C-alpha cells in the first residue's frame, strides 16, 4: 500500500498554527504553482508573509529625530505641572530626588524596564538630539521613523528570489475591497510587509465604504495609517468612532498612544480608566496607566498600578522589574532582591538582571553573591554598552569596600567599553581629585557635563573644584547649571550663596 500524504493546504495551515511561517509560505507557493487561483492558499500565504515581519504597533513606537525636531503638534508651550510628559525633571512635582534615583535626559527617573522612548525623550537642541541614543541597544539615534519602516519592509523583500509576491501597482483595490476576507489579509500584507501606508489607507477607506461604515476593524486600521502618517487628530476620530461601535482593548491602547503623542497624558489616563470600567483587571490597560504615572514622575501611583498588574498576572516581567527597582531606590535592597530573584526563577537570565542582583546583594550585605553575579553579568553582556554599565557598578562596589585602585581600574574599563559613559567620567574625576590631579579632574568633569547636561553631579563637582582653586567665575556658571538640573540640592545652594557673597565683597 502507498503512503497516505497529507493535503498540502492542510499541512500549510498546520505550519501556520505552529508559527513555522517560512514552511507555510513555501507550501502555499507550491499549491499556487499548480492552481494559481486557489483563494485559500493565496490568503494563507499572505498571512504567513505578514506574520514573518509583523511588528506590534501598540508597543513598538520610537520617535526619530525628524519627528521630534519637526513636530508641528505643539499644544501648549508652557504646560501646567502634572499635565505634560515633556517637562524636565526639575519642573515635575512629587518625583523622587535625583540625588537618590538617577534620571534620564528627559528628567524621568530611570525605570526598571527599558521601553521605546524611556531612554531618551524630547531633546532641547539638534546637537543634543544627535548625541542621544534612541534605543536601549544602540548609541546611534534613529533618523526618522518613516525611514525605519521602509527598512523593515525592504529586508523581507530581499529574501524572495522571484521578486514581490503581490505587485501592488497592478492591484485593483476596489475589487478586493468587496471581498472582506481577501481585503483584511491584503491590508495586513500591505501595511506590515510592504509598509506602503498610502495603498493600505486607500484599501481601508474603500473597504469601510463597502461595509457601510459599520465595521469597527477597518476604522481601527484607518486610524493606524493616519497615526503612522503623523495625522494624530484624524487618527483620534477614527479610533473614537471604532470604540462607539465595538469596545476593544487594542482600540483603547491605540487611542491612548495618540494622546501620548499629542502630549496629553491626563486624557490618556482618563481613557485607560474608562477602558478599565469596561474590561476590569485588563493587564495592558493597568500597565499603560502605570507607565504614564512613571513618565510623569509619580512613582508611588505607578507602583500601586504595577502591583495591580501582578494581582492579575503574577509573571508580568515589566511590573516585577519596575517594583524591584522602586524598592531598590527606596533604600530597601532586600525586598528588591526578592523581586529580581523571582525574575530569575521565571527564566529571565540576562546581563541586566544579574547586574541588578549584584547591586542588591551588595547593598543588602550579602557579599558572597555580589561578585559572582557581576561575573555572570559580564559574561552575558551582548554589547559594549552593557559591559560598561557592569564595570561602572563594579567601580561603585570597589569604592564601597575602600579599594580605590580597583575602583579606578573599573571606571577606566567602563570608559574603554563605552566612551560616552558620563557617570564614569564624573567618578574618575573625583578619584583624580583625591590624588591631587586637579587638571585631569577638571578635564574629566567638563567631558561628563557636556555628555550629560541633565546630570547635576558633574556641574556641582566642577563648581566645587573651581571654587577650591580660586576660579570663581567658572565655579558660579557651573553651580547655576547644577541648580537648573536639581533645584533642591542644598550643597549647590550653599555654594551659590557663598560665591554671591564673594562677588558682593569685590
Amino acid at each position: 500500500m502507498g503512503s497516505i500524504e497529507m493535503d498540502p493546504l492542510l499541512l500549510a495551515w498546520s505550519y501556520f498554527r505552529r508559527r513555522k511561517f517560512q514552511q507555510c509560505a513555501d507550501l502555499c507557493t507550491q499549491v499556487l504553482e499548480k492552481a494559481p487561483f486557489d483563494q485559500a492558499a493565496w490568503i494563507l500565504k499572505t498571512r504567513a508573509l505578514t506574520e514573518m515581519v509583523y511588528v506590534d504597533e501598540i508597543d513598538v513606537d520610537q520617535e526619530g529625530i525628524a519627528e521630534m525636531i519637526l513636530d508641528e503638534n505643539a499644544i501648549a508651550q508652557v504646560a501646567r505641572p502634572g499635565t505634560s510628559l515633556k517637562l524636565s525633571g526639575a519642573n515635575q512635582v512629587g518625583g523622587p530626588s535625583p540625588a537618590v534615583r538617577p534620571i534620564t535626559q528627559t528628567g524621568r527617573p530611570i525605570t526598571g524596564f527599558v521601553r521605546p522612548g524611556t531612554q531618551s525623550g524630547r531633546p532641547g537642541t539638534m546637537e543634543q538630539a544627535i548625541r542621544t541614543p534612541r534605543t536601549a541597544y544602540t548609541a546611534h539615534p534613529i533618523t526618522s521613523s518613516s525611514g525605519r519602516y521602509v527598512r523593515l519592509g525592504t529586508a523581507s523583500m530581499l529574501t524572495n528570489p522571484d521578486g514581490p509576491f503581490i505587485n501592488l501597482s497592478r492591484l485593483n483595490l476596489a475589487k478586493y475591497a468587496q471581498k472582506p476576507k481577501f481585503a483584511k489579509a491584503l491590508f495586513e500584507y500591505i501595511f506590515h510587509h510592504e509598509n506602503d501606508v498610502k495603498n493600505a489607507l486607500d484599501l481601508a477607506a474603500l473597504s469601510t465604504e463597502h461595509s457601510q461604515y459599520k465595521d469597527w476593524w477597518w476604522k481601527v486600521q484607518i486610524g493606524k495609517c493616519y497615526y503612522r502618517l503623523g495625522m494624530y487628530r484624524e487618527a483620534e476620530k477614527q479610533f473614537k468612532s471604532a470604540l462607539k461601535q465595538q469596545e476593544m482593548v487594542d482600540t483603547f491602547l491605540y487611542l491612548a498612544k495618540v494622546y501620548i503623542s499629542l502630549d496629553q497624558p491626563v486624557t490618556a489616563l482618563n481613557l485607560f480608566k474608562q477602558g478599565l470600567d469596561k474590561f476590569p483587571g485588563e493587564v495592558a490597560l493597568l500597565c499603560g496607566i502605570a507607565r504614564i504615572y512613571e513618565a510623569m514622575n509619580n512613582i508611588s501611583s505607578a507602583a500601586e498600578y504595577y502591583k495591580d498588574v501582578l494581582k492579575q498576572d503574577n509573571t508580568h516581567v515589566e511590573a516585577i522589574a519596575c517594583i524591584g527597582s522602586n524598592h531598590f531606590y527606596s533604600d530597601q535592597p532586600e525586598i528588591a532582591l526578592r523581586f529580581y530573584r523571582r525574575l530569575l526563577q521565571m527564566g529571565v537570565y540576562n546581563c541586566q538582571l544579574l547586574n541588578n542582583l549584584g547591586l542588591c546583594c551588595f547593598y543588602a550585605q550579602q557579599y558572597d553573591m555580589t561578585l559572582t553575579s557581576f561575573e555572570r553579568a559580564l559574561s552575558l553582556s551582548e554589547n559594549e554598552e552593557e559591559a560598561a554599565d557592569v564595570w561602572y557598578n563594579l567601580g561603585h562596589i570597589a569604592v564601597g569596600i575602600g579599594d580605590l585602585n580597583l575602583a579606578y581600574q573599573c571606571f577606566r574599563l567602563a570608559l574603554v567599553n563605552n566612551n560616552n559613559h558620563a557617570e564614569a567620567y564624573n567618578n574618575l574625576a573625583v578619584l583624580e581629585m583625591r590624588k591631587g590631579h586637579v587638571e585631569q579632574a577638571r578635564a574629566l568633569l567638563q567631558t561628563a557635563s557636556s555628555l550629560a547636561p541633565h546630570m547635576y553631579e558633574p556641574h556641582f563637582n566642577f563648581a566645587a573644584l573651581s571654587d577650591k582653586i580660586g576660579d570663581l567665575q567658572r565655579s558660579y556658571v557651573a553651580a547655576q547649571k547644577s541648580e537648573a538640573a536639581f533645584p533642591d540640592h542644598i550643597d549647590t545652594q550653599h555654594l551659590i550663596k557663598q560665591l554671591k557673597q564673594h562677588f558682593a565683597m569685590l
Side-chain angles (χ1 to χ4, degrees), residues 124-405:
T125 61
M126 193 68 187
E127 184 193 355
Q128 225 174 320
I130 290 168
R131 195 183 287 154
T132 310
R134 287 275 162 273
T135 68
Y137 298 106
T138 168
H140 300 294
I142 294 169
T143 44
S144 125
S145 69
S146 51
R148 188 170 65 91
Y149 287 126
V150 169
R151 285 196 291 278
L152 273 175
T154 46
S156 64
M157 296 289 295
L158 295 174
T159 59
N160 196 343
D162 308 322
F165 167 51
I166 297 172
N167 192 337
L168 295 181
S169 57
R170 292 166 61 185
L171 279 187
N172 181 355
L173 295 178
K175 188 180 93 178
Y176 283 95
Q178 289 166 13
K179 300 174 181 172
K181 296 264 190 313
F182 263 91
K184 286 183 179 178
L186 184 60
F187 175 86
E188 293 279 357
Y189 177 84
I190 296 171
F191 189 76
H192 291 288
H193 194 281
E194 302 292 338
N195 294 301
D196 185 343
V197 182
K198 184 187 172 298
N199 271 326
L201 186 56
D202 290 346
L203 177 61
L206 289 164
S207 300
T208 311
E209 210 175 302
H210 181 258
S211 68
Q212 297 172 342
Y213 304 97
K214 287 178 185 164
D215 190 339
W216 65 271
W217 192 87
W218 282 113
K219 289 182 179 177
V220 171
Q221 305 318 309
I222 293 176
K224 278 162 66 175
C225 292
Y226 280 140
Y227 181 85
R228 202 182 271 189
L229 292 167
M231 299 161 73
Y232 299 131
R233 286 299 179 195
E234 285 79 359
E236 179 195 13
K237 284 176 196 162
Q238 295 295 333
F239 291 138
K240 278 186 165 175
S241 174
L243 275 176
K244 276 181 191 164
Q245 278 182 357
Q246 174 82 42
E247 280 159 343
M248 297 292 283
V249 176
D250 275 14
T251 318
F252 279 110
L253 295 170
Y254 283 125
L255 187 52
K257 214 170 110 169
V258 170
Y259 287 132
I260 290 166
S261 297
L262 289 168
D263 191 25
Q264 296 183 355
V266 177
T267 316
L269 281 174
N270 292 336
L271 178 77
F272 277 135
K273 285 170 184 171
Q274 277 174 33
L276 282 174
D277 291 341
K278 311 288 180 204
F279 302 98
E282 172 55 49
V283 169
L285 298 174
L286 289 167
C287 202
I289 295 175
R291 287 176 183 183
I292 292 176
Y293 275 132
E294 206 168 39
M296 288 163 70
N297 265 14
N298 190 342
I299 300 295
S300 53
S301 298
E304 286 304 313
Y305 275 97
Y306 279 129
K307 283 173 186 166
D308 289 344
V309 169
L310 288 184
K311 284 175 192 166
Q312 304 297 332
D313 174 9
N314 57 11
T315 59
H316 198 279
V317 175
E318 182 180 341
I320 297 172
C322 289
I323 295 172
S325 72
N326 192 32
H327 281 300
F328 179 79
Y329 287 118
S330 307
D331 208 14
Q332 298 170 317
E334 301 87 353
I335 300 173
L337 190 58
R338 285 170 57 188
F339 281 95
Y340 288 129
R341 278 179 58 196
R342 166 75 178 145
L343 285 176
L344 206 56
Q345 286 165 356
M346 281 165 47
V348 179
Y349 190 70
N350 57 25
C351 169
Q352 293 88 341
L353 178 59
L354 286 159
N355 179 34
N356 291 357
L357 275 169
L359 281 173
C360 288
C361 288
F362 179 74
Y363 287 109
Q365 297 177 3
Q366 297 184 11
Y367 302 122
D368 52 335
M369 281 294 294
T370 305
L371 286 175
T372 49
S373 296
F374 280 121
E375 278 172 7
R376 284 189 190 174
L378 273 175
S379 67
L380 287 169
S381 61
E382 291 175 359
N383 52 43
E384 290 179 336
E385 277 94 351
E386 287 180 6
D389 284 337
V390 179
W391 281 117
Y392 171 73
N393 286 332
L394 275 166
H396 264 288
I397 305 295
V399 170
I401 58 174
D403 189 340
L404 297 188
N405 286 329

Side-chain angles (χ1 to χ4, degrees), residues 46 49 61 98 115 123 126 182 187 198 265 296 365 377 386 402-403 410 412 420 425 466:
T46 309
L49 290 173
D61 183 35
R115 295 182 290 272
M126 193 68 187
F182 263 91
F187 175 86
K198 184 187 172 298
M296 288 163 70
Q365 297 177 3
E386 287 180 6
D403 189 340
C410 289
R412 294 296 300 218
N420 290 338
Y425 280 112
S466 300

Side-chain angles (χ1 to χ4, degrees), residues 44-96:
L44 189 55
K45 182 176 176 182
T46 309
R47 285 186 62 193
L49 290 173
T50 306
E51 286 292 336
M52 279 155 69
V53 293
Y54 183 82
V55 177
D56 189 359
E57 296 281 308
I58 292 172
D59 249 358
V60 177
D61 183 35
Q62 294 163 345
E63 284 185 303
I65 294 176
E67 283 80 1
M68 287 190 168
I69 301 295
L70 307 173
D71 183 14
E72 291 175 358
N73 295 296
I75 308 301
Q77 292 301 321
V78 184
R80 293 194 307 278
T83 61
S84 171
L85 296 171
K86 296 181 181 114
L87 285 177
S88 68
N91 303 324
Q92 295 276 25
V93 180

Side-chain angles (χ1 to χ4, degrees), residues 87-106:
L87 285 177
S88 68
N91 303 324
Q92 295 276 25
V93 180
S97 151
V100 177
R101 188 167 186 170
I103 56 170
T104 59
Q105 179 155 351
T106 35

